[in-house]
Amino acid sequence: MDITDDDEDNNDNESYYNLKENQYYDFFLELHNITIPLMLCGNITKLKSLMFIPRPTPPPTRLFGSWVCPCLACGTIMVSQWSNWLTGPLTRDPPVLVTFNLDLGMTSEEQMSYELADCGVPAMNKSTRTFSESESSSSCLVCQSALKLHLGEVLYYGLVPVFLSPTKGESIPLFFHEPDHWKIPQISRDEQIKLILSRIDLESIGDVEYKKCTLPVLPALDISYSVSRTSSQRSGIPLELFTKPLIKRKKSEAFIWPSSLTGIASGRRSALVKLKGKWYRLKGCGDLEDGFPVAFNGDNGEKSVRGCLFEHTVSRELYMATKVEEALKKSGIGCSAILPIGWYKYESCTDWILPKVIRYCGVYETIGDRRLGDHLIAGLEIILPLICDSSQSIALSHAISKSRQVDLNEELWETSMVVETDMKIASDLIEFSLKEFSPLAYSSLSEYHQKIIPNEMKLLWDDLQASLTNKIEIAKEKSGIKSLLLYLAWRLGWECGKILRCFHDSDISWGTYPDQLGIHCNAHINNLVIKTPQILVDENKYDTYLSPLDFDMAFTKEQYISEIVEESKQKLFPRDWLGLLNWEKNMGFKTSLAGSTFANTGVSNQSQNIPKEFIPMQIAFRDTIVAGFEASYNNLEDRAPFSPIAHDAVCDIVRMALITTMNVIA
């Protein structure tokens, strides 16, 4: 459907051509929001009618038989008519009772005629119609609206494809969470400690090749999962994920199998799959496309299997995800980013390295994948020169120095260095009036920024650019916010503090401990995903930007074993529970927010080649996010409360930042 100019000769049947662009998008967005929930399993059977296909209340089966046949026949005819009306020639009436290929949008007879034409046989002319595989017209409003809907969703999940195929092993769906399903092994504490320490070196389970092979040595009692015969399986679990275990492979290898799936990359060892309107995370389904290789990652030749979970870590994450969800709901601060639904136990292959190390994968329903650190903060730093005014650099530098209580003439330290040395950050920059504007359209960007934006995202970038142009000043004026960028920094830091405080008040460590490979900390900014913006029902509704995930190393105070920490011989790491939580907060989470790579968190925190004149904006953002974190964790005043008025404009800034990091795999 192409955009056409208004013409007095246009008849009533062609009036739909003259709809405005935003009307198409708004219509499809609303249609999408309404129809998807209605068409899900469990909901569709409750409908009295299916869109435009009427389905009267069926009479008793004993009189007429099932109503399924006429309903399906009617549905097939209507869909065929509708599809043909969208794509077929206008010069002839659409067919009625014929076989219709929904993939191609034509009847089987018509398809054959076009194929004969390709073979040189005089047949139907392809120029008379549009084909489903034809390239979309750049002026087609329907295509543009559908594409924007799609891009608006994948923006929060990623673009890089992965390919999954079935493999040997067990696929076990999780049953409803019942107290007697999760148990601590019934062995003495000394035996449990001995079992945990045996993971330092697996030489005892096999030949010399297992020497110095190590598994995660968590300082916590193991958790096991058992199912009673009377347990009922969780409803809604997709069979596509639980017929056989899935593993990432090269595209050519994966598509040998008809039941292969195409997903989205999530880190090195995980994948995302969308099925029936929901997204699922497979954590531990292979290291990129290389299966489960062995990596040497210790100072003394230690090695470990990569790309998977293990029996004790997959059980832990399935259990702790449920505990975290309960804690977050109780505190009223959002939800976990993952809902456990099952796991895989891969069958060992003879060509595996270290085949006696059993590989596992956790399966979860998820609500996003783009991470706070390597995607959002990194993206915001990329677009800083596009949304800020460099003429304010000196004034902002002075404001930072004044708040930090340092000499105005001294060179500003990066936030990471200030936090690592436990010096004072600038905590009141939320009051600074920062000039901000919408970035340029794609065609006007520098070559550097054009290369960063994926081709698939050009349309969405320009759409957001136009939208944000009209929102920034209105949002700031009506909300009283002096800087949307610094407001966003405070909100992100505030949520981080609230989430970590919730963990600690619930006697949960995100996963901070020392072992033979160093000090590990799962409490960091890449273990928070950016949620898809929620529609605000009213101005009093509180919305959050972040949700936590990655709990395969998390443990509770009740499970904690300090003797394991002592065995690691890490002199810097505390032994007591409160000391552990304090280290997790300050040396783990806080430093990663500041941009530091001090702790072993896995966050890159790489420099984004920010021009010198915009460094004060970067420092102001990092100082403010740390200030919000500290205030929230310590239950201090919220100096930049959530603003429904500014929310829409801030979400556009978030989206544009995420566009610049779409191809980053965190």
Side-chain angles (χ1 to χ4, degrees):
M1 183 185 298
D2 293 338
I3 304 173
T4 60
D5 296 327
D6 291 335
D7 191 322
E8 292 181 359
D9 295 332
N10 286 346
N11 57 41
D12 293 338
N13 292 330
E14 295 178 333
S15 61
Y16 57 82
Y17 285 114
N18 300 319
L19 290 175
K20 296 181 180 178
E21 180 178 357
N22 66 314
Q23 290 177 308
Y24 283 102
Y25 180 75
D26 291 343
F27 167 74
F28 282 116
L29 180 62
E30 189 63 27
L31 181 65
H32 181 82
N33 291 335
I34 292 173
T35 56
I36 290 299
L38 292 176
M39 303 298 282
L40 294 178
C41 295
N43 292 340
I44 189 171
T45 54
K46 299 176 183 177
L47 300 178
K48 293 185 178 180
S49 63
L50 184 61
M51 298 290 287
F52 45 79
I53 305 175
R55 180 178 70 86
T57 303
T61 303
R62 63 186 178 86
L63 297 179
F64 285 91
S66 173
W67 194 257
V68 170
C69 291
C71 181
L72 288 178
C74 179
T76 301
I77 293 172
M78 295 298 287
V79 171
S80 299
Q81 293 270 1
W82 180 69
S83 300
N84 192 276
W85 178 81
L86 282 179
T87 61
L90 300 177
T91 55
R92 67 173 189 266
D93 294 331
V96 183
L97 293 176
V98 293
T99 304
F100 201 88
N101 188 327
L102 291 178
D103 289 330
L104 296 178
M106 65 179 74
T107 67
S108 57
E109 292 80 6
E110 189 176 5
Q111 177 186 350
M112 184 181 298
S113 297
Y114 288 120
E115 290 173 349
L116 288 173
D118 290 336
C119 299
V121 178
M124 299 179 69
N125 184 359
K126 281 191 173 183
S127 64
T128 62
R129 67 166 296 153
T130 302
F131 293 83
S132 60
E133 68 270 19
S134 302
E135 184 176 346
S136 172
S137 169
S138 60
S139 60
C140 176
L141 294 179
V142 174
C143 290
Q144 286 184 15
S145 297
L147 180 59
K148 281 192 289 185
L149 279 175
H150 170 68
L151 295 178
E153 179 180 31
V154 300
L155 186 60
Y156 293 87
Y157 292 91
L159 280 175
V160 181
V162 294
F163 308 98
L164 300 132
S165 67
T167 188
K168 294 180 180 179
E170 299 178 61
S171 55
I172 304 102
L174 192 66
F175 290 75
F176 282 115
H177 177 69
E178 297 175 6
D180 62 340
H181 285 181
W182 300 102
K183 296 180 180 179
I184 304 258
Q186 299 302 306
I187 59 177
S188 69
R189 186 180 180 88
D190 288 343
E191 290 177 304
Q192 181 70 253
I193 293 174
K194 183 179 179 181
L195 172 63
I196 295 171
L197 293 178
S198 70
R199 295 171 183 148
I200 294 176
D201 193 325
L202 302 183
E203 184 178 11
S204 61
I205 72 169
D207 303 326
V208 67
E209 63 177 323
Y210 290 88
K211 184 176 178 59
K212 291 191 176 181
C213 177
T214 181
L215 299 180
V217 184
L218 282 75
L221 298 171
D222 284 349
I223 301 168
S224 62
Y225 182 77
S226 61
V227 181
S228 64
R229 293 184 179 180
T230 58
S231 297
S232 56
Q233 186 173 313
R234 188 191 299 271
S235 61
I237 291 181
L239 293 177
E240 294 92 331
L241 298 181
F242 287 98
T243 302
K244 280 285 187 181
L246 297 171
I247 186 172
K248 286 186 286 185
R249 297 189 190 277
K250 293 180 174 62
K251 183 177 181 179
S252 57
E253 297 174 357
F255 279 86
I256 295 174
W257 302 91
S259 54
S260 294
L261 297 175
T262 300
I264 299 294
S266 173
R268 292 185 64 91
R269 63 173 173 174
S270 301
L272 304 169
V273 178
K274 187 180 182 184
L275 295 168
K276 300 175 182 176
K278 293 184 178 181
W279 286 87
Y280 298 91
R281 177 183 305 280
L282 277 59
K283 180 177 176 180
C285 57
D287 187 70
L288 300 179
E289 298 174 341
D290 301 324
F292 306 112
V294 172
F296 291 85
N297 48 6
D299 295 334
N300 299 306
E302 293 92 348
K303 56 191 176 184
S304 59
V305 178
R306 311 299 294 172
C308 64
L309 296 176
F310 306 98
E311 183 178 12
H312 65 295
T313 57
V314 72
S315 296
R316 179 165 299 283
E317 182 155 54
L318 293 169
Y319 171 72
M320 291 305 300
T322 305
K323 294 286 289 184
V324 168
E325 177 74 4
E326 292 172 353
L328 291 172
K329 284 187 175 180
K330 185 177 180 181
S331 300
I333 52 172
C335 62
S336 167
I338 55 174
L339 173 67
I341 62 170
W343 72 94
Y344 301 152
K345 180 181 179 181
Y346 295 103
E347 182 177 314
S348 295
C349 298
T350 55
D351 59 344
W352 281 3
I353 303 175
L354 307 178
K356 292 183 181 179
V357 177
I358 308 301
R359 281 76 155 167
Y360 288 79
C361 172
V363 185
Y364 315 86
E365 187 178 328
T366 191
I367 59 172
D369 187 66
R370 301 287 90 181
R371 309 306 172 95
L372 173 58
D374 286 349
H375 295 126
L376 180 52
I377 293 179
L380 288 168
E381 292 183 346
I382 288 173
I383 66 173
L384 273 178
L386 303 179
I387 63 176
C388 294
D389 188 345
S390 61
S391 66
Q392 288 189 288
S393 293
I394 296 177
L396 183 56
S397 295
H398 289 170
I400 295 170
S401 297
K402 183 178 179 181
S403 184
R404 287 181 174 181
Q405 298 178 0
V406 297
D407 194 308
L408 295 181
N409 297 317
E410 288 185 8
E411 183 178 354
L412 285 176
W413 284 15
E414 292 182 353
T415 307
S416 58
M417 186 179 296
V418 173
V419 170
E420 288 171 359
T421 54
D422 200 26
M423 297 181 68
K424 188 179 186 302
I425 60 166
S427 59
D428 56 1
L429 297 177
I430 196 68
E431 300 299 327
F432 188 88
S433 294
L434 193 62
K435 296 178 184 178
E436 294 153 334
F437 37 80
S438 178
L440 298 173
Y442 177 83
S443 60
S444 301
L445 293 175
S446 67
E447 183 179 355
Y448 168 75
H449 285 102
Q450 284 187 346
K451 286 182 177 179
I452 290 175
I453 297 173
N455 289 332
E456 302 95 324
M457 289 291 170
K458 293 177 185 177
L459 174 66
L460 186 59
W461 175 274
D462 283 344
D463 187 62
L464 291 169
Q465 184 270 337
S467 172
L468 192 57
T469 299
N470 301 320
K471 292 178 182 176
I472 289 182
E473 290 305 319
I474 295 175
K476 294 172 77 169
E477 180 182 348
K478 290 187 175 181
S479 66
I481 293 173
K482 297 182 178 180
S483 165
L484 294 181
L485 182 69
L486 297 180
Y487 161 81
L488 175 59
W490 180 276
R491 292 310 317 155
L492 295 174
W494 183 267
E495 285 190 35
C496 289
K498 277 292 183 187
I499 290 170
L500 190 63
R501 182 88 238 183
C502 172
F503 277 43
H504 292 176
D505 286 347
S506 303
D507 287 334
I508 295 173
S509 165
W510 208 320
T512 304
Y513 67 95
D515 66 8
Q516 67 280 8
L517 300 180
I519 298 176
H520 305 271
C521 181
N522 258 5
H524 59 75
I525 53 179
N526 263 9
N527 279 340
L528 290 157
V529 302
I530 313 304
K531 293 164 53 181
T532 305
Q534 303 297 312
I535 298 174
L536 296 180
V537 178
D538 57 64
E539 292 190 356
N540 297 318
K541 180 185 174 184
Y542 178 80
D543 202 1
T544 56
Y545 297 96
L546 307 173
S547 283
L549 79 169
D550 200 353
F551 311 122
D552 58 324
M553 298 195 306
F555 50 88
T556 65
K557 181 180 180 181
E558 182 183 13
Q559 300 161 1
Y560 178 55
I561 305 175
S562 60
E563 293 93 325
I564 303 296
V565 175
E566 294 169 3
E567 192 69 28
S568 69
K569 298 180 173 57
Q570 289 281 353
K571 296 180 180 180
L572 295 177
F573 197 84
R575 272 52 174 170
D576 63 293
W577 178 255
L578 291 179
L580 181 153
L581 298 186
N582 190 55
W583 202 102
E584 183 167 88
K585 168 188 174 275
N586 293 315
M587 306 308 292
F589 212 122
K590 186 176 174 181
T591 57
S592 73
L593 277 173
S596 170
T597 56
F598 172 79
N600 182 15
T601 61
V603 185
S604 63
N605 270 326
Q606 294 176 347
S607 172
Q608 301 301 328
N609 299 318
I610 300 173
K612 184 178 179 180
E613 61 269 27
F614 291 99
I615 293 297
M617 287 72 173
Q618 179 195 31
I619 292 175
F621 183 88
R622 289 281 188 173
D623 272 31
T624 302
I625 199 171
V626 173
F629 170 78
E630 284 280 15
S632 177
Y633 186 88
N634 295 316
N635 295 317
L636 301 178
E637 177 190 2
D638 186 356
R639 303 183 66 177
F642 176 76
S643 170
I645 298 173
H647 185 67
D648 197 25
V650 170
C651 284
D652 280 354
I653 295 175
V654 168
R655 292 184 184 100
M656 299 190 85
L658 292 178
I659 286 176
T660 66
T661 55
M662 280 303 295
N663 289 324
V664 174
I665 301 177

